[in-house]
Amino acid sequence: MKIDLQPIVQKHVYIPRKEQFMALFPGSPAFRWNQVEESLIGMSYENWEQLSNIPKAMRDELGEQMPWLSFKPVQTLRSKNGDTFKAALQMEAGEFESVLMQNKRGSWTICVSSQIGCGMGCSFCATGKMGFKSNLHSDYIIDQYRYWDYFIKHNKELGGRISNVVFMGMGEPLANYPNVKAAINLLLKYTDLGPTRITVSSVGVIPVLNKLLDDPEWPPVRVAISVHSADTDTRREIVQTSYDQFLEDLKKWGIAYAKKLGNRRHHLTFEYVMLNEVNDSVMHANKLAALVRAIGGTVKVNLIPYNATDSVYECSSEKNFEEFMDTLRNHGVEVTRRKNMGGDINAACGQLVRLREKNDDVEVSSQT
Ligand code: SAH
Ligand code: SF4
């Protein structure tokens, strides 16, 4: 008799840090966990020993039983000009990436991942090609902040500090809404980052965008929508999750958002990846301007040069880029062009995919 043996797939279940703590110290008063959490996120400590406001025996137990970081940093790469770093972080469900970028004033923006892979399948995005692997628990999102915070402090020559957090790494943050919301609320509670320093970028998951408008726990952070085309057919071609009514739904949502939160501080950003001869004609610019104007004065457009991935696209020619920008400006639309950072270590927008890098000459460390 032939027995068909199926491989046993072990699905790992992550036990959140708070639950691990409660299991280790059952019955401990609620303020204890709050102290631990505050120290972990807000104090830039480097080990359990430094949590001097909790009893020594507890610290020792934590040191033995609970990992200091929820993931294991396996590789950190630096771009040639030193303004971008990318870390590969390992957890049970696989590896994911997180990026640190220096901004104009010398401080640092971290680009965090909210999922391993992404199920949205945008045709120009390397993460989309991976498919969806796993949601990241808020501990993993918070720990990306903690990891880069130590990294900057350890590498003193870097100077500066984390001034901004953008959810533009791997994954669609609004497809992991509870964990993204929890992580943001913890960052706002325990760090000095204000809500306008945090940006959530979404491909436009309309039901969740509608939900956040009415969610009293959703923090007033900035929202960026990856529009990529205001022409229905073009958007459907490049963004797999788009549909015929999408732009109409987005317009309605944008108007509701502007009414509720829209002001200069809480403007909406429309991200637009520039794909040569695909979405960069004057017709496309006119349609984008019409959408922006229909929503009102709180929308800014950020044009992203397409970064090479394994796709059929190319970045817009300089001529198309300029013409597109000029057309938007002539319509009175506020438009900026995103600086391309970290291309040499595949850390730029849309290039995050967990493959071990071959260019090990720029590896800076294999752990913190
Ligand atoms: N899933 C979210 C956030 C992660 S992607 C979203 O799509 O918005 C972050 C940004 O990188 C998005 O604006 C996305 O469209 C853009 N992006 C994806 N692939 C890209 C590529 N190859 N070149 C440039 N930008 C890209
Ligand atoms: Fe997912 Fe954003 Fe990439 Fe689209 S662009 S596949 S939504 S990560």
Side-chain angles (χ1 to χ4, degrees), residues 117-122 124-129 169-172 203 226 228 350:
C118 181
M120 301 290 154
C122 302
F124 46 84
C125 172
T127 310
K129 289 257 153 58
M170 289 171 120
E172 167 49 46
V203 72
S226 295
H228 305 320

